[in-house]
Amino acid sequence: MKIILTYFFLLSICLAQSNETKNWFEFNPYVEVERSKNIIQMTDWLDAPAGKHGIVTYKKDKLLFEDGTPVKFWGVNISGNDVFAKKKDVEKWAETLAMYGVNSVRFHKFSHPGMKDSISTDLKDENYEYMDYFSSALKEKGIYYGWSPIYGHKPKLNDSSSLLAYDEIVSANLDNHLSYSTIGLVNFAEDLQDLHVELIVNLLNHKNTYTGLKYANDPALSFIELQNEDDIFFATTEAMIEKCSTYKKLLTDRFSTWLIEKYQNQNSLRKVWGVKAFEWGVEVKSINWNLDKGNITPVANHGIYGYEFNKASGSNKPLPLFLTDMATFLFEQQSKFYQRFTEAIRNTGYKGLIVSSNWQAGSGVAHYFNLNADYKTGMVDRHNYFGGGTGHTFIPGKIKNTAMVKSPGYGLLSTGMQQVKDRPFSISEWLSLIPNEWTTEATPIIAAYGMGLQGWDASFSFDSQSPYFTPTIHLPNKHWPSVYNVMSPTNLVLYPVITRMLYRNDVKEANIISTRYVSLTELEKGNLGFDETITQDNDVKDFKGTIPNEALAVGKVVVEFTDKFEKTNTPNLLEYWDFENKIITSNTKQLKWNYSGDGYFTINTNGTKGVVGFTDGKEIKLDYLSIKVKTPFAVVLLTSLDKNKSITESKHILITTMARANNTAMKYNLNKTELLEIGETPIILEPVVVELFFGNYKILKVNVLDHVGNTTNNEIHISCNSVLLDGEKYKTMYYEIELE
């Protein structure tokens, strides 16, 4: 009986979900792009060739070229062996990225798969050949490229003679992809730093056979990242220290010297730190700390710093002095590493941007020490993801099937809490993760609120795994979805409208409404000066505290590092936050976030207008334009097709509509909290049905476009000011409207 009941229960789920998707249509991006008929292409918007305005630099918090031309980068990641793609694929990649308006690529974690067989500090000759061609092909299209080559650098046998303990590193198993690498240790160990430095210097001194330029002298190389997702405070540092005794002794001895210079001996240290510190050492670290014996290893674990900081803050106390001393010491080690690495890079002649790392360090004191080390190096960069399944592994299990539009400033946008005054800000990895159903909201949130309102300078979604749209929303030969899938329709399809909005600067940068003042002097005493809790679940981060996340929907929010303490005040948001109706309006008046139900926001600029989220069938009025979406959740965006004209000046409009996407036969449980079956090809799209009213403007014609933006023979002839775009009927996401 139990088996029979289970069968009928599962059958009811299948029937309910197949009925829900019965009117969805197949995504077909595999037709040929016809340049003369293509409406969405952005190739002509890119300022080719890349580098024509000189190197990429910055002035205060803005990126600009050497000749003073301002720039924002809207990019994607290309990772691992894909950096060494064959010429045919490279040409298609460059063509596709240019067509969809991508003007920058982050070449990521390519050093390990590209290394020579014997050493880890140079690429194989054939891999240089492939990367040279890829870089030159992008440059020709007007697409800049940056380097993030190092993620867990793995030494090879011929490196061993220059290392303190090669055998320890190649035996350090972390039970993940970072095993047997320099991860964590490199932040203080000079011998490992030398490997990293030698690799980057070799790359920069290599002459690209297609451009004739050393990479150090190529202005299309926009940035160099010193290391990916690593810092001295992160828990991987402690994990590696415990597996590598030689490097643990190196750090411990160095910290002992630091403590002796400050406190002389054990007795003095015990008086200052207090008995509880030494009890903590026994209880948590199982060590009777004794400076005279030189056995005090600094805590290199963001989780401990975050926990102890939050506990102390709850009692209105600073972080305990022993942890503050440890954090200060680690901060100094981190800063020295970044400084010597930066000097080596500059000595090659490279003048572009340098990013230290993109990884945060828990909450409180450790987090802001780490952020300051990044700030001193150059552009501040961070990562964030949203949604997904159980943790980061995406095995069958509970999923976070909620939308960011429900909570203003939550999720990806909360990354902006780490933006620092007088530095450009980048988010070099982000994505809303399947099997969350609302992933298409992410791109307009990052573009409108992040790059627009907050004034972020660069965005690189993760990951472009091929030059083609993916046939299913999962990796080939995998049973369950991948985190990384920018080449899915819920992402890339939106780029032609988003990049037009960005490159025209339709959404204006907001005025600063909140500054969190952080004094290094106070950090060294364990004080932050405001409340803040940062939580992290693998790649997914969240922020809350004195400055509410909702402030990010109002105006610009920044951190400012100061020499002395300055009070951080909670911003006055009453002018922009309608608490009763749950509506937040940006201080530019162009964006409005309504979270009274499941949530939606509107974009209302001269060049781009639209709505994102759950509108519940309401009529959304944006000046002369009214939008009535009949699909429960959708993105509907309208943008001028002209570079320098508003919608009403151009009268030539691109409409992009997107809702949910599934694989064929993809199945969730009844309440959509668990993915039961990943499904198969092809991807199917939920049709968006929306009615548009253009006020006093008469519609001349509506062209139905195919899935790559070509005009079709399907034209909707209208002689009034409204039109119903029925995605179920027309089976598309793109339309072109001509106004009288």
Side-chain angles (χ1 to χ4, degrees), residues 95-120:
E95 177 186 324
T96 299
L97 295 178
M99 174 181 167
Y100 284 88
V102 171
N103 69 350
S104 188
V105 164
R106 179 178 181 246
F107 282 144
H108 178 51
K109 58 180 181 182
F110 61 85
S111 61
H112 176 60
M115 291 173 185
K116 291 183 175 178
D117 295 331
S118 55
I119 61 171
S120 68

Side-chain angles (χ1 to χ4, degrees), residues 372-415:
N372 185 263
D374 297 331
Y375 162 81
K376 290 191 298 184
T377 304
M379 182 166 69
V380 174
D381 180 42
R382 286 297 181 261
H383 293 172
N384 207 350
Y385 291 85
F386 181 81
T390 302
H392 194 163
T393 54
F394 290 80
I395 59 176
K398 300 297 181 183
I399 64 173
K400 298 175 181 176
N401 207 355
T402 58
M404 288 180 282
V405 289
K406 189 176 182 66
S407 305
Y410 177 60
L412 297 178
L413 185 56
S414 71
T415 316

